[in-house]
Amino acid sequence: MLSPYRVLDFTDARAHLAGKILGDLGADVVKVEPPGGDPLRHLGPFLHGDPGPERSLRWLAGNTSKRGVVVDLADPAGRARTLALADEADVLLESFAPGAMDELGLGYEALAARNPRLVYCAITPFGRTGPRALAAAHDLGVVAMGGNASMTGEPDGPPTRCSMPTSSHHASPTAALAICMALYARARTGRGQLVDVSMQECQLGTLLSGAGQYALTGRAGKRTGGHLGRTREIWPARDGQISFGLRGGPARIPNLIATVEYMDESGMAPEWLRDYDWTRYSPITVSDEELARIEEAFAAFFATKTMGELYREALERRILLAPCNDAREILAQEQLRSRDLFAEIDYPELGTRIEHPDFFAKLSDGAVGSRVGIRSRAPRLGEHDDTPWARPREALVRAGDAVHSDVDPGGGCFDGLRVLELGAGAAGPVATGYLAEQGAHVIRIESAARPDFLRMLHLTTENRNEPDILEKAPMFVLLNPDKDSLTLNMKEPRAVEIVKRLATWADVVSENFAPGVMARFGLDAATLRAGNPRLIVVSGCLFGQTGPQRAYPGFGGQGSAIAGFNHLTGRPDGPAHGPYATITDSLAPRYVATAIAAALLERDRSGRGQVIDVSQIETGVYSLSEVIVRFSANGEVEGRRGNRNEWAAPHGVYPCRGEDRWIAIEVLDDEAWQRLVEAMGRPGWVDDSHAGTAGRLADVERIDRELAAWTADFEARELMETLQAAGVEACAVQDFADLQDDPQLAHRGHFVELEHPHLGKLRFERSGFRLSESPGRIERPGPTLGQHNREILGGILGLRDDEIDELVASGAVA
């Protein structure tokens, strides 16, 4: 889908995935490495344990669909070669410290002066400007500063990260999305622009409005381990762990009843549980004693069954239960296999074949030649040094790159784009939220009779009859700014006809219903596109539209378990849990929005739309390509490491002065260790064996213990500033309250305060990127139910007031 575009990739391991996504989408990605190769080439694990720059499994996993060249940026000839490459590139992607490329004469201003069409994307821990722009951090520090670590981990232990770099998993698709947006804008203005991605801001998106809700609730949040709020989410099975939520609400009551029936058939449902009235159950109001009693009964049952047994019954009985899969189980997963998620890549020079997750989306019914997925293995060092890189001039001016003089250069990339959204929950709204922030007109189709469950999360037995209670749902409001709401009863044929008419108005229809729901409405993709062949239809449900388990009725918690994130989060000797807030709900929207943006670029060339099938679980597995490659190549099952790192020490979260205050410290090389030792005043417990990484890893227990005793005397933010000034990667662990007055977030305008008619002032959140020429905006809070019914029906569809009144009276509009 991105085949006309050339990308120069100067990233390190924190952003390799961004170039991989663009390459797997079809772009010509040229990975530019320093002499000796990208540092990741020299970090294990290596194929069969044999070190070598072509054998790093991390390198192979993160750099598919790229070509590779070696350029010495410290050498004038290397800089001249970079200038020549950038002159003919569409995109430059880099993750250096802010200002590093400017010092070499290769920054955005210098390159854009030579090639005004260049889209220049910088991915940095905290953004290119601001009081903390120059602070150093990798995954642990970013997750700490972004709020997720404070909420992940055992209540009596330190904040915890996932063993894989989830900050990169979120920042990379965000960068790919922003690049596609900038290319779309370029086709209308003729100009490229600067894309500034903050990994910290991307991390705030994993909280799914948690930081924004603090302004309303005043709750800073706390770690709950294998629980989500008050209720348990992770449970031991006989041979592993499973995800199963004891949450209430209409969508979950049938699941709870079905589970009790399953328990009863096994002789493990006590009489009181068989008679339990689940319609009255609320995780908000249930007493501690009653909740403990329920949990004890469920836990006793789950412990008698294997993960496989429980999952098979969950599929049959439509129970919201999933195994916490490891790499072995992911590769064997029947649904993922049926959708050909895994591609076996040949490495003839290494004498092996390795399975990789191929791609997160399936395309159909698009322009001839559309394809996504791995197109080549990762490049060998300098493999394409002798490739002729000059491009014919006509290749630089492509179909669809016509300048539109009526485009507002200071608006959003998607000003004028029309989007119709159907579905419920968090993942769908977050995906279209990226489009709305960049100016798209997004209409949400809702139902007053069956409201989005996000509108009901706060309901209890006591408040459910309060006036306008459905308008007081903070999570729904915060995840849906700048959207319109149209309420339709999809059981009424005339309501379905309204959607069909709106589909002829729209550029994009995005839905995240379970497979088959849209078809039952009479709104399958073929029907929607029959009157509008330029329409892009994207679905983003849990397992995708095809496969034997497509009807599985799970939510984000089950998606996180099946994709492998739960298995990778927690102490090595403790239970699986987290990361906080069901990570597939924050990952998948980035990929859905990127697929939409790429399809819009292709439509500019082909004139035709596209049908895109995104599986939320597959976006998670794709992000975790490294764990799949490691198992496929070496049989290694990556597990939970707490905050430890297998190739760096110390690497952890340490206590600071005050209640539940912590600091994350990452020492990635020997020089950083010496800087930390100097900052600590060269304590006596440091000895010569700690001079190398291997020695520190061998003595990591002692180092962590001594370091924790030292950090405990300091305030977290002050120690962060001291250590950063000394050249040590140190980041305070921030909770929801800390994020409110974070000076870097304030500098970037992350929070936007808006007044809501029922909730008062709320703090909405910007995306994790800023575009220099297309700033975008958040101007309106999430809509009330049916707030825009007459505006849409009368203004867009041209219905008279009496026709609208009749639709309301008939129940079609409701």
Side-chain angles (χ1 to χ4, degrees):
M1 295 192 349
L2 300 182
S3 58
Y5 303 102
R6 176 174 291 170
V7 179
L8 300 183
D9 182 353
F10 287 85
T11 62
D12 63 9
R14 288 173 291 188
H16 283 167
L17 178 60
K20 171 180 164 60
I21 293 168
L22 298 172
D24 289 350
L25 278 166
D28 177 17
V29 179
V30 182
K31 182 73 180 76
V32 184
E33 301 184 66
D38 188 292
L40 194 64
R41 288 183 179 272
H42 306 285
L43 288 176
F46 298 99
L47 179 65
H48 304 154
D50 183 13
E54 311 299 349
R55 303 177 69 85
S56 167
L57 298 178
R58 288 177 172 159
W59 169 262
L60 298 180
N63 290 280
T64 60
S65 302
K66 300 180 185 181
R67 297 193 282 174
V69 298
V70 172
V71 175
D72 186 357
L73 295 181
D75 181 74
R79 293 195 293 276
R81 188 179 188 198
T82 298
L83 289 172
L85 287 170
D87 284 346
E88 297 185 342
D90 298 285
V91 178
L92 187 144
L93 181 63
E94 55 103 337
S95 58
F96 294 110
M101 289 288 272
D102 296 281
E103 292 176 4
L104 295 170
L106 300 172
Y108 170 65
E109 288 77 12
L111 297 184
R114 298 168 58 105
N115 178 5
R117 294 165 51 79
L118 182 70
V119 172
Y120 186 112
C121 179
I123 303 175
T124 57
F126 303 105
R128 282 170 54 91
T129 63
R132 289 187 177 140
L134 295 179
H138 283 72
D139 181 62
L140 182 62
V142 171
V143 173
M145 289 292 286
N148 197 285
S150 74
M151 296 294 291
T152 302
E154 299 296 334
D156 59 349
T160 307
R161 71 159 193 153
C162 176
S163 295
M164 288 289 108
T166 59
S167 63
S168 298
H169 297 159
H170 286 84
S172 290
T174 301
L177 166 62
I179 287 167
C180 289
M181 287 179 170
L183 289 171
Y184 187 80
R186 187 185 77 174
R188 283 139 186 83
T189 66
R191 298 188 305 278
Q193 56 184 303
L194 174 66
V195 179
D196 177 5
V197 178
S198 160
M199 297 179 75
Q200 180 195 22
E201 280 192 281
C202 293
Q203 266 297 293
L204 265 74
T206 71
L207 306 177
L208 294 175
S209 80
Q213 288 192 53
Y214 175 83
L216 182 69
T217 66
R219 292 193 292 269
K222 61 181 181 180
R223 293 180 297 287
T224 55
H227 286 63
L228 191 62
R230 292 185 69 207
T231 60
R232 192 166 183 174
E233 188 77 16
I234 306 297
W235 311 71
R238 202 169 76 207
D239 61 345
Q241 297 176 77
I242 61 160
S243 168
F244 175 87
L246 272 178
R247 284 169 276 166
R252 293 182 180 269
I253 288 173
N255 147 77
L256 296 172
I257 293 172
T259 306
V260 173
E261 290 174 352
Y262 177 26
M263 294 167 64
D264 189 31
E265 291 174 18
S266 301
M268 295 194 68
E271 183 177 355
W272 66 266
L273 188 59
R274 295 197 301 270
D275 296 336
Y276 195 85
D277 183 4
W278 290 106
T279 62
R280 298 181 63 252
Y281 171 76
S282 166
I284 299 174
T285 58
V286 64
S287 69
D288 291 342
E289 295 77 16
E290 185 176 359
L291 184 58
R293 188 185 187 200
I294 294 170
E295 286 188 351
E296 183 180 5
F298 279 80
F301 172 68
F302 293 146
T304 68
K305 305 289 185 181
T306 67
M307 293 190 299
E309 287 178 288
L310 290 168
Y311 186 57
R312 284 191 295 273
E313 292 295 331
L315 292 170
E316 287 289 326
R317 300 168 185 265
R318 297 185 62 78
I319 293 173
L320 306 179
L321 178 153
C324 295
N325 285 337
D326 62 22
R328 178 191 297 107
E329 291 147 353
I330 293 169
L331 269 168
Q333 217 281 345
E334 180 185 9
Q335 170 71 10
L336 302 180
R337 283 285 177 193
S338 75
R339 284 171 57 85
D340 297 323
L341 176 61
F342 305 106
E344 195 171 55
I345 307 300
D346 190 21
Y347 294 87
E349 66 281 358
L350 300 177
T352 191
R353 295 176 66 85
I354 301 174
E355 287 196 281
H356 293 244
D358 193 11
F359 209 57
F360 58 86
K362 308 296 181 189
L363 305 184
S364 61
D365 205 24
V368 175
S370 292
R371 186 188 180 278
V372 290
I374 295 174
R375 294 177 296 117
S376 65
R377 52 148 176 75
R380 296 190 297 276
L381 183 59
E383 181 174 357
H384 302 98
D385 279 348
D386 297 328
T387 300
W389 292 106
R391 305 168 78 184
R393 187 66 205 165
E394 58 269 20
L396 303 179
V397 182
R398 297 171 198 87
D401 267 11
V403 175
H404 297 249
S405 60
D406 59 339
V407 173
D408 175 10
C413 293
F414 288 141
D415 282 354
L417 191 73
R418 300 167 172 182
V419 181
L420 197 60
E421 178 184 349
L422 299 95
V430 172
T432 56
Y434 290 112
L435 313 183
E437 186 177 343
Q438 280 296 317
H441 183 182
V442 180
I443 297 176
R444 275 190 61 100
I445 303 298
E446 298 195 75
S447 168
R450 300 189 65 180
D452 187 325
F453 70 83
L454 292 188
R455 288 192 180 271
M456 301 188 291
L457 287 179
H458 64 304
L459 296 188
T460 66
T461 307
E462 290 74 21
N463 70 14
R464 64 176 57 250
N465 293 319
E466 289 181 12
D468 299 317
I469 190 63
L470 295 180
E471 310 298 357
K472 300 175 181 178
M475 189 173 184
F476 178 90
V477 173
L478 289 167
L479 293 183
N480 288 281
D482 291 293
K483 298 181 184 179
D484 293 350
S485 173
L486 171 63
T487 48
L488 297 175
N489 178 2
M490 300 303 291
K491 293 182 179 180
E492 292 290 329
R494 283 190 290 181
V496 174
E497 289 304 312
I498 289 171
V499 176
K500 290 179 180 178
R501 289 184 62 186
L502 286 172
T504 65
W505 162 87
D507 297 289
V508 178
V509 171
S510 177
E511 62 93 4
N512 69 333
F513 286 122
V517 171
M518 290 288 282
R520 289 196 292 275
F521 288 152
L523 296 171
D524 58 278
T527 299
L528 291 171
R529 297 185 67 236
N532 183 4
R534 290 176 54 82
L535 183 67
I536 294 163
V537 180
V538 60
S539 67
C541 63
L542 196 68
F543 253 144
Q545 295 292 309
T546 62
Q549 296 172 14
R550 64 186 179 278
Y552 173 71
F555 287 90
Q558 290 71 55
S560 299
I562 293 170
F565 286 102
N566 290 158
H567 173 78
L568 292 166
T569 309
R571 298 193 307 263
D573 58 348
H577 54 74
Y580 172 73
T582 62
I583 188 170
T584 50
D585 278 338
S586 56
L587 269 181
R590 290 163 159 81
Y591 285 100
V592 169
T594 300
I596 291 171
L600 287 166
L601 287 169
E602 185 197 47
R603 190 181 73 171
D604 274 357
R605 302 192 306 275
S606 70
R608 294 194 56 180
Q610 186 71 259
V611 180
I612 307 170
D613 172 13
V614 178
S615 157
Q616 293 179 28
I617 290 172
E618 289 173 14
T619 67
V621 176
Y622 180 83
S623 300
L624 291 173
S625 290
E626 181 184 322
V627 301
I628 302 302
V629 168
R630 290 170 73 159
F631 177 75
S632 175
N634 281 358
E636 174 190 358
V637 178
E638 177 71 3
R640 294 181 290 285
R641 297 181 182 274
N643 293 314
R644 296 267 174 85
N645 187 304
E646 61 191 305
W647 46 267
H651 188 280
V653 175
Y654 305 94
C656 286
R657 189 170 64 234
E659 183 180 353
D660 200 30
R661 310 306 292 176
W662 306 82
I663 191 165
I665 297 176
E666 303 172 271
V667 173
L668 304 182
D669 56 38
D670 297 340
E671 290 75 16
W673 169 248
Q674 292 303 321
R675 292 193 290 269
L676 176 60
V677 169
E678 291 295 331
M680 290 190 295
R682 303 195 65 82
W685 58 266
V686 175
D687 60 42
D688 292 343
S689 70
H690 299 150
T693 299
R696 294 195 299 276
L697 286 169
D699 199 22
V700 69
E701 295 285 350
R702 179 188 177 203
I703 291 174
D704 279 350
R705 185 170 60 252
E706 297 287 357
L707 188 54
W710 180 74
T711 61
D713 289 335
F714 297 89
E715 191 276 331
R717 283 188 175 179
E718 291 178 2
L719 183 57
M720 170 185 171
E721 301 299 336
T722 299
L723 290 178
Q724 286 280 352
V728 178
E729 293 194 15
C731 293
V733 176
Q734 300 199 117
D735 61 21
F736 294 169
D738 299 321
L739 295 171
Q740 309 303 312
D741 63 359
D742 181 307
Q744 184 67 16
L745 296 177
H747 171 83
R748 289 178 63 83
H750 179 80
F751 292 107
V752 178
E753 195 167 90
L754 298 174
E755 186 80 23
H756 185 267
H758 298 281
L759 292 171
K761 288 184 178 179
L762 293 175
R763 303 195 85 188
F764 293 78
E765 298 184 63
R766 295 292 305 272
S767 301
F769 60 88
R770 300 291 180 272
L771 302 177
S772 61
E773 302 294 322
S774 309
R777 62 253 180 197
I778 295 179
E779 297 178 326
R780 295 183 287 132
T784 57
L785 261 170
Q787 179 178 346
H788 305 94
N789 282 0
R790 290 188 177 272
E791 180 181 326
I792 294 166
L793 296 172
I796 294 176
L797 298 185
L799 299 181
R800 301 187 309 271
D801 284 346
D802 62 310
E803 292 176 312
I804 297 173
D805 292 339
E806 202 280 323
L807 286 169
V808 172
S810 71
V813 175

